[in-house]
């Protein structure tokens, strides 16, 4: 992970001030400067500050010497290696490299205030981020990360990568435990923050949905005075959340948006604002659940003073990226590639999309394991099988041990054409022999299942 600083170069003297660390400069050049930041020693060079972090399996401190040998002279770390004799490098030593880097991101921006939108939620946050950027960019010079830079390291990198001319930044904040969103939001100081939903992802780490909500609500701690926090108004765990510093706005169907229609060209809805109703907005994504993402994005743009025409055109111009709800035709088959990640909520949404599109042939779902669901994971997978049977999908194929539980649940509720496979290759081989022109097939699983390889094995290059 590496970024180029969006404004001017920085130096290690400033880093020490920003994060309260101790500077040890063995370069003989007071204020050793850098213009890139990285966390992978293989990307470190003479223009880059290497951040040495401790992970579950890898300790970046073990690679400091390697980074120096590649020319790196600027290192943020928790201790200086003992074998640096003769090495010319500047170290800023801190108690926790990850916490310190968030402080660096805030310090780097300094007094150059940048209006910021911060987005978190169990599912849909990346789509909402991209929708926000699509609309805001109609009026402002807008920065947002193309990739998934939403971690305690990636989000501060995004903040530092925004250029001098940036007028609005749209940042995504993911998390796996308490305190992570707190670090990010206090670095970003968002003008508008939002929690799109509270789902089941991260139950493995946080135990309950109540704890997930508590961790997500940390996003409010960094909002500027007079800012806004948009909350999912249909989530009981987010009820009655108010602050003296910012305004809470509850986004819900029937109040902030209404008249949702799923049509061939996408999902339509009406947006309700203080000034009236903006009729018939369209997002080119098929599925009622996308109206929620689009409503969050449209309402955010409204708070930033974006015109009705720009809101409308920004939403309509959106194009899904990567493996998120990408719908296209290949060899006469409609492919729904939505396999960047998966949780019960997004799995049901994807199934709804499969049932909503026009299909001449069969509707086929190829599903895999959902990760990080905790002790109730098997029940949640079985419930997806129940849901599939209820939605009357024609054929179900699954991959993985938990995917097989989805198939079991579907068969228990009457779906006869359900088949479980141990590997992506086996599933692809079977699917290739079954597909017919006019069919539609959904690919959905957690990222670690590597369903993009399954799609390629089935259809070749897109």
């Amino acid at each position: 992970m590496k970024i180029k600083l969006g404004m001017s170069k920085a130096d290690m003297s400033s880093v020490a001030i920003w994060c309260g660390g101790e500077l040890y400069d063995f370069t003989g050049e007071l204020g050793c400067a850098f213009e890139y930041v990285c966390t992978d020693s293989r990307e470190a060079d003479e223009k880059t500050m290497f951040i040495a972090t401790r992970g579950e399996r890898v300790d970046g401190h073990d690679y400091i010497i390697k980074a120096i040998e590649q020319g790196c002279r600027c290192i943020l770390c928790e201790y200086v290696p003992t074998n640096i004799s003769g090495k010319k490098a500047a170290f800023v030593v801190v108690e926790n490299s990850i916490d310190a880097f968030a402080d660096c991101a805030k310090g780097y921006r300094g007094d150059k205030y940048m209006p910021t939108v911060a987005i978190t939620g169990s599912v849909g946050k990346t789509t909402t981020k991209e929708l926000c950027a699509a609309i805001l960019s109609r009026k402002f010079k807008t920065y947002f990360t193309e990739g998934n830079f939403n971690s305690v390291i990636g989000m501060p990198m995004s903040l530092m990568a925004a250029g001098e001319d940036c007028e609005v930044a749209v940042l995504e904040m993911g998390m796996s435990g308490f305190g992570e969103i707190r670090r990010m939001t206090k670095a970003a100081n968002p003008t508008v923050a939002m929690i799109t939903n509270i789902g089941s992802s991260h139950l493995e780490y946080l135990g309950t949905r109540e704890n997930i909500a508590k961790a997500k609500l940390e996003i409010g701690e960094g909002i500027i005075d007079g800012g806004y926090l948009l909350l999912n108004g249909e989530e009981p765990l987010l009820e009655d959340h108010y602050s003296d510093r910012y305004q809470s706005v509850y986004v819900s169907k029937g109040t902030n948006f209404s008249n949702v229609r799923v049509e061939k060209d996408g999902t339509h809805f009406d947006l309700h604002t203080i000034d009236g109703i903006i009729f018939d907005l369209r997002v080119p994504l098929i599925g009622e659940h996308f109206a929620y993402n689009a409503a969050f994005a449209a309402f955010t743009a409204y708070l930033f003073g974006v015109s009705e025409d720009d809101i409308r055109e920004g939403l309509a111009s959106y194009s899904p990226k990567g493996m998120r709800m990408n719908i296209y035709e290949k060899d006469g088959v409609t492919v729904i590639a939505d396999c960047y990640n998966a949780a019960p909520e997004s799995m049901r949404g994807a199934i709804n999309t499969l049932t909503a599109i026009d299909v001449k042939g069969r509707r086929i779902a190829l599903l895999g394991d959902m990760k990080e669901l905790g002790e109730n994971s098997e029940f949640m997978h079985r419930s997806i099988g129940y849901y599939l049977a209820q939605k009357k999908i024609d054929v179900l194929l699954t991959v993985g041990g938990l995917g097989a539980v989805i198939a079991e649940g579907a068969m228990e509720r009457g779906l006869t054409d359900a088949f479980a496979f141990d590997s992506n290759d086996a599933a692809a081989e079977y699917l290739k022999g079954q597909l017919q022109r006019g069919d539609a097939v959904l690919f959905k699983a957690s990222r670690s299942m590597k369903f993009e390889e399954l799609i390629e094995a089935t259809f070749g290059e897109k």
Side-chain angles (χ1 to χ4, degrees):
M1 188 179 289
K2 182 174 182 176
I3 57 99
K4 182 175 183 179
L5 298 180
M7 300 190 298
S8 59
K9 293 181 182 180
D11 61 67
M12 295 305 282
S13 296
S14 297
V15 169
I17 294 170
W18 294 334
C19 65
E22 293 287 336
L23 174 62
Y24 298 88
D25 193 340
F26 303 112
T27 65
E29 304 171 16
L30 188 63
C32 183
F34 58 92
E35 56 184 292
Y36 295 85
V37 173
C38 77
T39 56
D40 188 333
S41 62
R42 292 170 294 185
E43 297 180 306
D45 55 32
E46 69 278 3
K47 297 181 179 181
T48 304
M49 180 177 76
F50 172 52
I51 310 167
T53 62
R54 298 176 190 263
E56 292 182 6
R57 292 171 291 181
V58 177
D59 187 345
H61 294 78
D62 296 336
Y63 299 90
I64 288 176
I65 298 301
K66 177 185 175 184
I68 294 173
E69 290 173 348
Q70 293 173 183
C72 181
R73 301 183 305 154
C74 302
I75 297 147
L76 178 64
C77 56
E78 295 170 14
Y79 62 86
V80 177
T82 57
N83 54 337
I84 63 162
S85 178
K87 303 287 195 299
K88 290 188 176 183
F91 300 83
V92 170
V93 179
V94 295
E95 184 176 338
N96 184 296
S97 299
I98 294 175
D99 288 348
F101 183 57
D103 293 334
C104 285
K106 184 178 178 69
Y108 177 72
R109 297 302 309 182
D111 58 2
K112 299 177 179 66
Y113 174 68
M114 179 174 60
T116 299
V117 178
I119 302 167
T120 192
S122 294
V123 295
K125 54 185 175 289
T126 299
T127 299
T128 305
K129 175 192 71 177
E130 293 172 351
L131 287 169
C132 279
I135 304 172
L136 290 170
S137 62
R138 308 286 298 187
K139 179 176 182 180
F140 304 104
K141 178 73 174 180
T142 303
Y143 171 83
F144 77 105
T145 47
E146 293 285 349
N148 198 30
F149 276 53
N150 65 359
S151 68
V152 287
I153 286 287
M155 196 290 301
M157 279 189 167
S158 296
L159 197 60
M160 296 180 82
E164 190 92 51
D165 60 345
C166 176
E167 295 177 308
V168 179
V170 184
L171 304 174
E172 181 180 339
M173 297 182 182
M175 61 93 196
S176 58
F178 291 116
E180 295 179 0
I181 288 180
R182 178 179 293 114
R183 292 181 200 136
M184 291 185 271
T185 188
K186 288 190 172 182
N189 292 133
T191 312
V192 176
M194 67 184 77
I195 303 175
T196 59
N197 50 52
I198 303 299
S200 306
S201 298
H202 309 307
L203 280 172
E204 180 179 349
Y205 304 107
L206 289 168
T208 66
R209 290 183 71 251
E210 287 77 9
N211 282 342
I212 294 172
K214 184 178 178 181
K216 296 290 186 187
L217 282 165
E218 291 174 1
I219 201 168
E221 297 181 29
I223 296 174
I224 64 168
D225 291 349
Y228 294 87
L229 176 60
L230 308 187
L231 299 157
N232 189 319
E234 298 176 31
E235 173 50 71
L237 293 174
L238 297 176
E239 287 179 349
D240 302 321
H241 180 81
Y242 300 100
S243 170
D244 294 332
R245 291 194 307 102
Y246 55 80
Q247 182 175 341
S248 294
V249 177
Y250 284 88
V251 177
S252 59
K253 186 178 178 181
T255 302
N256 301 91
F257 67 100
S258 63
N259 194 22
V260 178
R261 294 99 63 205
V262 179
E263 300 180 5
K264 290 181 180 180
D265 63 346
T267 302
H268 297 245
F269 65 98
D270 301 336
L271 182 73
H272 298 245
T273 70
I274 297 169
D275 300 317
I277 301 176
I278 302 177
F279 290 99
D280 197 29
L281 295 176
R282 178 182 71 88
V283 59
L285 294 167
I286 297 174
E288 184 171 330
H289 57 295
F290 289 117
Y292 288 82
N293 304 126
F296 270 102
F299 200 86
T300 297
Y302 165 77
L303 292 175
F304 273 87
V306 178
S307 70
E308 176 178 335
D309 286 344
D310 282 340
I311 291 174
R312 185 181 307 281
E313 292 171 14
L315 276 181
S317 71
Y318 173 71
S319 178
K321 295 176 176 61
M323 295 174 286
R324 291 183 176 89
M325 197 47 67
N326 193 357
I327 304 176
Y328 58 93
E329 185 172 310
K330 183 70 173 178
D331 301 331
V333 174
T334 301
V335 180
I336 306 174
D338 189 23
C339 45
Y340 189 85
N341 221 329
E345 298 79 12
S346 63
M347 190 73 86
R348 291 188 184 91
I351 293 166
N352 289 344
T353 298
L354 178 59
T355 61
I357 63 174
D358 286 333
V359 177
K360 295 180 180 179
R362 299 163 301 168
R363 291 183 170 88
I364 302 169
L366 206 166
L367 310 180
D369 296 357
M370 299 179 287
K371 304 295 186 181
E372 299 181 7
L373 297 182
E375 61 183 13
N376 292 319
S377 179
E378 184 170 328
F379 171 75
M380 293 180 188
H381 282 80
R382 195 173 300 277
S383 295
I384 294 299
Y386 297 162
Y387 190 75
L388 274 161
Q390 173 189 332
K391 300 297 287 189
K392 301 189 184 304
I393 300 298
D394 296 302
V395 180
L396 169 64
L397 311 178
T398 68
V399 178
L402 291 168
V405 177
I406 296 177
E408 290 174 5
M411 289 187 287
E412 287 170 8
R413 295 298 171 91
L415 181 60
T416 55
D417 289 338
F419 308 91
F421 298 90
D422 294 330
S423 69
N424 287 349
D425 287 343
E429 191 63 29
Y430 180 84
L431 181 60
K432 283 192 292 185
Q434 296 294 312
L435 281 176
Q436 303 169 12
R437 297 185 69 85
D439 288 346
V441 56
L442 163 68
F443 296 86
K444 181 75 173 171
S446 282
R447 180 70 184 87
S448 61
M449 297 298 290
K450 298 182 178 179
F451 264 26
E452 71 278 9
E453 296 177 359
L454 199 161
I455 296 173
E456 184 174 348
T458 304
F459 296 101
E461 293 293 335
K462 178 185 167 183

